[in-house]
Coordinates of all heavy atoms in Angstrom, one line a residue:
V191 N -12.7 19.8 -13.7 CA -12.6 21.2 -13.4 C -12.7 22.0 -14.7 O -13.4 23.0 -14.8 CB -11.4 21.6 -12.6 CG1 -11.2 23.1 -12.4 CG2 -11.5 20.9 -11.2
A192 N -11.9 21.6 -15.7 CA -11.9 22.3 -17.0 C -13.2 22.3 -17.6 O -13.6 23.4 -18.2 CB -10.9 21.6 -17.9
S193 N -14.0 21.2 -17.5 CA -15.3 21.2 -18.1 C -16.3 22.2 -17.5 O -17.1 22.8 -18.2 CB -15.9 19.8 -18.1 OG -16.2 19.4 -16.7
I194 N -16.1 22.4 -16.2 CA -17.0 23.3 -15.5 C -16.6 24.8 -15.8 O -17.5 25.6 -16.0 CB -16.9 23.1 -13.9 CG1 -17.5 21.7 -13.5 CG2 -17.6 24.2 -13.2 CD1 -19.0 21.6 -13.9
L195 N -15.3 25.0 -15.9 CA -14.9 26.4 -16.3 C -15.3 26.8 -17.7 O -15.7 27.9 -17.9 CB -13.3 26.4 -16.2 CG -12.7 26.4 -14.8 CD1 -11.2 26.2 -14.9 CD2 -13.1 27.6 -14.0
L196 N -15.4 25.8 -18.6 CA -15.8 26.1 -19.9 C -17.3 26.4 -20.0 O -17.8 27.2 -20.8 CB -15.6 24.9 -20.9 CG -14.1 24.6 -21.2 CD1 -14.0 23.3 -22.1 CD2 -13.5 25.8 -22.0
E197 N -18.1 25.9 -19.0 CA -19.5 26.2 -19.0 C -19.8 27.6 -18.4 O -20.9 28.1 -18.6 CB -20.2 25.1 -18.1 CG -20.2 23.7 -18.7 CD -20.8 22.7 -17.7 OE1 -21.2 23.1 -16.6 OE2 -20.8 21.5 -18.1
N198 N -18.9 28.2 -17.7 CA -19.1 29.4 -17.0 C -18.6 30.6 -17.8 O -17.4 30.7 -18.1 CB -18.4 29.4 -15.6 CG -18.9 30.5 -14.7 OD1 -18.8 31.7 -15.0 ND2 -19.4 30.1 -13.5
K199 N -19.6 31.5 -18.1 CA -19.2 32.6 -19.0 C -18.4 33.7 -18.3 O -17.9 34.6 -19.0 CB -20.5 33.2 -19.6 CG -21.3 32.2 -20.4 CD -20.5 31.6 -21.5 CE -21.3 30.6 -22.3 NZ -20.5 29.9 -23.4
K200 N -18.3 33.6 -17.0 CA -17.5 34.6 -16.3 C -16.0 34.4 -16.4 O -15.2 35.2 -16.1 CB -17.9 34.6 -14.8 CG -19.3 35.1 -14.5 CD -19.6 35.1 -13.0 CE -21.0 35.5 -12.7 NZ -21.2 35.5 -11.2
F201 N -15.7 33.2 -16.9 CA -14.3 32.8 -17.0 C -13.9 32.4 -18.4 O -14.7 31.9 -19.2 CB -14.0 31.6 -16.0 CG -14.3 31.8 -14.6 CD1 -15.5 31.4 -14.1 CD2 -13.5 32.5 -13.8 CE1 -15.9 31.6 -12.7 CE2 -13.8 32.8 -12.5 CZ -15.0 32.4 -11.9
C202 N -12.6 32.6 -18.7 CA -12.1 32.1 -19.9 C -10.9 31.2 -19.6 O -9.9 31.7 -19.1 CB -11.6 33.3 -20.8 SG -10.9 32.9 -22.4
L203 N -11.0 30.0 -20.0 CA -9.9 29.0 -19.8 C -8.8 29.2 -20.9 O -9.0 28.8 -22.1 CB -10.4 27.6 -19.8 CG -9.3 26.5 -19.6 CD1 -8.7 26.7 -18.2 CD2 -10.0 25.1 -19.7

Side-chain angles (χ1 to χ4, degrees):
V191 170
S193 70
I194 295 298
L195 290 172
L196 288 176
E197 293 175 1
N198 195 301
K199 300 305 179 184
K200 294 181 181 179
F201 303 99
C202 177
L203 182 60

